[in-house]
Structures are given as C-alpha cells and as structure tokens.
Amino acid sequence: MGVHSVVSGSYLVNHASIGAAMLNLRLEDVHSQYHIRDFMIEKEDLPILPYYKTSFVEVLQTIEKYKFGFVFFTDTEGKFAGLASNADVRKGLLKNLSDLNQTRLEDITNFNPVVLQDHATISEMLDLIQSKKFPVNFLPVINEEARITGAVTFFNLIKGES
C-alpha cells in the first residue's frame, strides 16, 4: 500500500504546480478498487471526544494536541455526531466577536459534515470530493452503524503517510 501513497506523493511533489497536479488527480478517470479502510488513519490515532461532555476549551486543546486541524465527536451511543475544524472554530469566534466568552460548543460544531463510508473505494472518494463546491482537507470515515472507523487527511496522503 505504501507504494501507491509514495507514487501519489511523488506525482504531486514533482509536478510544476501542486495545485494543477491535485486538479489532474481529481479530474482523471481513476478506477482504483482499493478501499478507504486500506489506508485511512485508524480510529485509535484520531482526536475523538464525546460531544455530550466536552467543553470549548477541550476542543481547542485537542485540536492543538493532535495537529490534524479537527476533532470528531461521538454521541451517547458512540456514533459519529459531528466535528469541529479550525474553520468551524474561526466561524464560531466570528459569530461571537462582541463577547468571545459567549462562544458555545454548538457554535463551532458541524453536525452535518461530509463523511465517507469505510467500504468506499478511492474512485468513490474522488467522486465525492469532486462533487463538493468547497475544498475537502479531510474526511471522517464511518461504518454502516455510523461509528467512526478512521479518517482520510489529504496532508498525510500527499506526504505518503497514514
């Protein structure tokens, strides 16, 4: 599996423009049958907090500790409940600029993020990303029971790490 990551990383790093190379990868007809679960970051290595007993400060500390730029949340049943990314935190703070102490966990949580099923193929992942009108930097990976099984981060894919 590492060979495919290295090839992908080499393609991006050696291209005259990384942005153009990324666009080419997104637009080319890729028919890979590798599944996301074959190279995702495992659940044990991810920042996951129980939403029902997490504070705003814990979210910020966890984002800083893990250096992924996000935190995933679970509900009382252990199912994926949403996430807070650096962008979500920024939006929440902007919403409460007059009094930052009023920023609540709800203000920085995305309860309906783009997710990927762990049985999806790379082709399905690329189709999903291409269908979005915003940049996708990472994807929570969930199973059929809506439980977090991992994540795909594009920074790690480019660097050839998982």
Side-chain angles (χ1 to χ4, degrees), residues 1 32-42 116-126 128-129 139-142 149-154 157 162:
M1 293 304 298
S32 173
Q33 293 306 306
Y34 285 110
H35 289 92
I36 298 308
R37 65 178 164 254
D38 295 330
F39 64 89
M40 69 186 181
I41 299 169
E42 297 295 325
L116 194 59
Q117 294 288 319
D118 63 359
H119 58 78
T121 64
I122 293 172
S123 295
E124 291 168 330
M125 176 185 71
L126 293 174
L128 175 67
I129 294 167
L139 288 167
V141 180
I142 61 173
T149 59
V152 175
T153 68
F154 294 94
L157 286 178
S162 64

Coordinates of all heavy atoms in Angstrom, one line a residue, residues 1 32-42 116-126 128-129 139-142 149-154 157 162:
M1 N 0.8 -1.2 0.0 CA 0.0 0.0 0.0 C 0.9 1.3 0.0 O 0.5 2.2 -0.6 CB -0.9 0.0 1.2 CG -2.0 -1.1 1.2 SD -3.0 -1.1 -0.2 CE -3.8 0.5 -0.1
S32 N -9.6 2.8 -9.2 CA -8.9 2.0 -8.2 C -10.0 1.3 -7.4 O -11.0 1.8 -7.0 CB -8.2 2.9 -7.2 OG -7.7 2.1 -6.2
Q33 N -9.7 0.0 -7.1 CA -10.6 -0.7 -6.2 C -10.1 -0.9 -4.8 O -10.7 -1.6 -4.0 CB -10.9 -2.1 -6.8 CG -11.7 -2.0 -8.1 CD -13.0 -1.3 -8.0 OE1 -13.8 -1.5 -7.1 NE2 -13.1 -0.3 -8.8
Y34 N -9.0 -0.1 -4.5 CA -8.6 -0.1 -3.1 C -9.7 0.6 -2.3 O -10.3 1.5 -2.7 CB -7.3 0.7 -2.9 CG -6.1 -0.1 -3.4 CD1 -5.4 0.3 -4.5 CD2 -5.6 -1.2 -2.7 CE1 -4.3 -0.4 -5.0 CE2 -4.5 -1.9 -3.1 CZ -3.9 -1.5 -4.3 OH -2.8 -2.2 -4.7
H35 N -9.9 0.1 -1.1 CA -10.9 0.6 -0.2 C -10.2 1.6 0.8 O -9.1 1.5 1.1 CB -11.6 -0.5 0.6 CG -12.5 -1.3 -0.2 ND1 -12.1 -2.4 -0.9 CD2 -13.8 -1.1 -0.6 CE1 -13.1 -2.9 -1.6 NE2 -14.1 -2.1 -1.4
I36 N -11.0 2.6 1.2 CA -10.5 3.6 2.1 C -10.0 3.0 3.4 O -8.9 3.4 3.8 CB -11.7 4.6 2.4 CG1 -12.2 5.3 1.2 CG2 -11.3 5.6 3.5 CD1 -11.1 5.9 0.3
R37 N -10.6 2.0 3.9 CA -10.1 1.3 5.1 C -8.7 0.7 4.9 O -8.1 0.4 5.9 CB -11.1 0.3 5.6 CG -11.3 -0.9 4.7 CD -12.3 -1.9 5.3 NE -12.7 -2.8 4.2 CZ -13.9 -2.8 3.6 NH1 -14.8 -1.9 4.0 NH2 -14.2 -3.7 2.7
D38 N -8.3 0.6 3.7 CA -6.9 0.0 3.5 C -5.8 1.0 3.8 O -4.7 0.6 4.0 CB -6.8 -0.5 2.0 CG -7.7 -1.6 1.7 OD1 -8.0 -2.4 2.6 OD2 -8.1 -1.7 0.5
F39 N -6.1 2.3 3.8 CA -5.1 3.3 4.0 C -5.5 4.5 4.9 O -4.7 5.4 5.1 CB -4.5 3.8 2.7 CG -5.5 4.6 1.9 CD1 -5.7 5.9 2.1 CD2 -6.3 3.9 0.9 CE1 -6.6 6.6 1.3 CE2 -7.2 4.6 0.2 CZ -7.3 6.0 0.4
M40 N -6.6 4.4 5.5 CA -7.1 5.5 6.4 C -6.3 5.5 7.7 O -5.6 4.6 8.0 CB -8.5 5.4 6.7 CG -8.9 4.2 7.6 SD -10.6 4.0 7.8 CE -10.7 2.6 8.8
I41 N -6.3 6.7 8.3 CA -5.7 6.8 9.7 C -6.7 6.1 10.6 O -7.9 6.3 10.6 CB -5.6 8.3 10.1 CG1 -4.6 9.0 9.1 CG2 -5.1 8.3 11.5 CD1 -4.6 10.5 9.3
E42 N -6.2 5.2 11.4 CA -7.1 4.4 12.3 C -7.7 5.2 13.4 O -7.1 6.2 13.8 CB -6.3 3.2 12.9 CG -5.7 2.2 11.9 CD -6.8 1.5 11.2 OE1 -7.9 1.1 11.8 OE2 -6.6 1.2 10.0
L116 N -17.3 9.7 4.7 CA -17.0 8.6 3.8 C -17.3 7.3 4.4 O -16.9 7.1 5.6 CB -15.6 8.8 3.3 CG -15.1 8.0 2.1 CD1 -15.8 8.4 0.9 CD2 -13.6 8.3 1.9
Q117 N -17.9 6.4 3.8 CA -18.1 5.0 4.3 C -16.8 4.2 4.2 O -16.1 4.4 3.2 CB -19.2 4.3 3.5 CG -20.6 4.9 3.7 CD -21.1 4.7 5.1 OE1 -21.0 3.6 5.7 NE2 -21.8 5.7 5.7
D118 N -16.5 3.4 5.2 CA -15.2 2.7 5.2 C -15.1 1.6 4.1 O -14.0 1.2 3.7 CB -14.9 2.1 6.5 CG -15.9 1.1 7.0 OD1 -16.9 0.8 6.3 OD2 -15.6 0.5 8.1
H119 N -16.2 1.3 3.4 CA -16.2 0.3 2.3 C -16.0 1.0 1.0 O -16.0 0.4 -0.1 CB -17.4 -0.6 2.3 CG -18.7 0.2 2.3 ND1 -19.2 0.7 1.1 CD2 -19.6 0.5 3.2 CE1 -20.3 1.3 1.3 NE2 -20.6 1.2 2.6
A120 N -16.0 2.4 1.0 CA -15.9 3.1 -0.3 C -14.5 2.9 -0.9 O -13.5 2.6 -0.2 CB -16.0 4.6 0.0
T121 N -14.4 3.0 -2.2 CA -13.2 2.9 -3.0 C -12.6 4.2 -3.2 O -13.2 5.3 -2.9 CB -13.4 2.2 -4.4 OG1 -14.2 3.1 -5.1 CG2 -14.1 0.9 -4.3
I122 N -11.3 4.3 -3.6 CA -10.7 5.5 -3.9 C -11.4 6.3 -4.9 O -11.6 7.5 -4.9 CB -9.2 5.3 -4.3 CG1 -8.4 4.7 -3.1 CG2 -8.6 6.6 -4.8 CD1 -7.0 4.3 -3.5
S123 N -11.9 5.6 -6.0 CA -12.7 6.2 -7.0 C -14.0 6.9 -6.4 O -14.3 8.0 -6.8 CB -13.1 5.2 -8.1 OG -12.0 4.7 -8.8
E124 N -14.6 6.2 -5.5 CA -15.8 6.8 -4.9 C -15.5 8.0 -4.0 O -16.2 9.0 -4.0 CB -16.5 5.8 -4.1 CG -17.2 4.7 -4.9 CD -17.7 3.5 -4.1 OE1 -17.1 3.2 -3.1 OE2 -18.6 2.8 -4.5
M125 N -14.3 7.9 -3.4 CA -13.8 9.1 -2.6 C -13.6 10.3 -3.5 O -14.0 11.4 -3.2 CB -12.6 8.7 -1.8 CG -12.0 9.9 -1.0 SD -10.4 9.6 -0.2 CE -9.3 9.5 -1.6
L126 N -12.9 10.1 -4.6 CA -12.6 11.2 -5.5 C -13.9 11.7 -6.1 O -14.0 13.0 -6.3 CB -11.6 10.7 -6.6 CG -10.2 10.3 -6.1 CD1 -9.4 9.7 -7.3 CD2 -9.5 11.5 -5.5
L128 N -16.8 11.8 -4.6 CA -17.4 12.6 -3.6 C -16.7 14.0 -3.4 O -17.4 15.0 -3.4 CB -17.3 11.8 -2.2 CG -17.8 12.6 -1.0 CD1 -19.3 12.8 -1.1 CD2 -17.4 11.8 0.3
I129 N -15.4 14.0 -3.4 CA -14.7 15.2 -3.3 C -15.0 16.2 -4.5 O -15.2 17.4 -4.3 CB -13.2 15.0 -3.2 CG1 -12.9 14.2 -1.9 CG2 -12.3 16.3 -3.3 CD1 -11.5 13.7 -1.8
L139 N -11.6 13.7 5.6 CA -12.9 13.1 5.6 C -13.0 12.1 6.8 O -12.1 11.3 6.9 CB -13.1 12.3 4.3 CG -13.3 13.1 3.1 CD1 -13.2 12.2 1.8 CD2 -14.7 13.7 3.1
P140 N -14.0 12.3 7.6 CA -14.3 11.3 8.6 C -14.7 10.0 7.9 O -15.5 10.1 6.9 CB -15.4 11.8 9.5 CG -15.6 13.2 9.0 CD -15.0 13.4 7.7
V141 N -14.3 8.9 8.4 CA -14.6 7.6 7.8 C -15.5 6.8 8.8 O -15.1 6.7 10.0 CB -13.4 6.7 7.4 CG1 -13.8 5.4 6.8 CG2 -12.5 7.5 6.4
I142 N -16.7 6.4 8.4 CA -17.6 5.8 9.3 C -18.0 4.4 8.7 O -17.9 4.2 7.5 CB -18.9 6.6 9.6 CG1 -19.6 6.9 8.3 CG2 -18.4 7.9 10.3 CD1 -21.0 7.7 8.6
T149 N -14.6 4.9 12.1 CA -13.5 3.9 12.0 C -12.2 4.4 11.6 O -11.2 3.7 11.7 CB -14.0 2.8 10.9 OG1 -14.2 3.5 9.7 CG2 -15.2 2.1 11.3
G150 N -12.2 5.7 11.1 CA -10.9 6.3 10.8 C -11.1 7.7 10.1 O -12.2 8.3 10.2
A151 N -10.1 8.1 9.4 CA -10.2 9.4 8.7 C -9.1 9.4 7.6 O -8.2 8.6 7.6 CB -9.9 10.6 9.6
V152 N -9.4 10.1 6.6 CA -8.5 10.4 5.5 C -8.2 11.8 5.5 O -9.0 12.7 5.5 CB -9.1 10.0 4.1 CG1 -8.2 10.4 3.0 CG2 -9.5 8.6 4.0
T153 N -6.9 12.1 5.6 CA -6.4 13.5 5.6 C -5.5 13.7 4.3 O -4.7 12.8 4.1 CB -5.6 13.9 6.8 OG1 -4.4 13.2 6.9 CG2 -6.4 13.7 8.1
F154 N -5.8 14.7 3.6 CA -5.0 14.8 2.3 C -3.6 15.3 2.5 O -2.7 15.0 1.7 CB -5.8 15.7 1.4 CG -7.1 15.0 1.0 CD1 -8.3 15.2 1.7 CD2 -7.1 14.0 0.1 CE1 -9.4 14.5 1.5 CE2 -8.2 13.3 -0.2 CZ -9.4 13.5 0.5
L157 N -1.9 12.0 2.9 CA -1.8 11.3 1.7 C -0.7 11.8 0.8 O 0.0 11.1 0.2 CB -3.2 11.3 0.9 CG -4.3 10.5 1.5 CD1 -5.6 10.7 0.7 CD2 -3.9 9.0 1.5
S162 N 0.2 7.4 6.6 CA -1.1 7.0 7.1 C -1.1 6.6 8.5 O -0.1 6.4 9.1 CB -1.8 6.0 6.2 OG -1.1 4.8 6.2

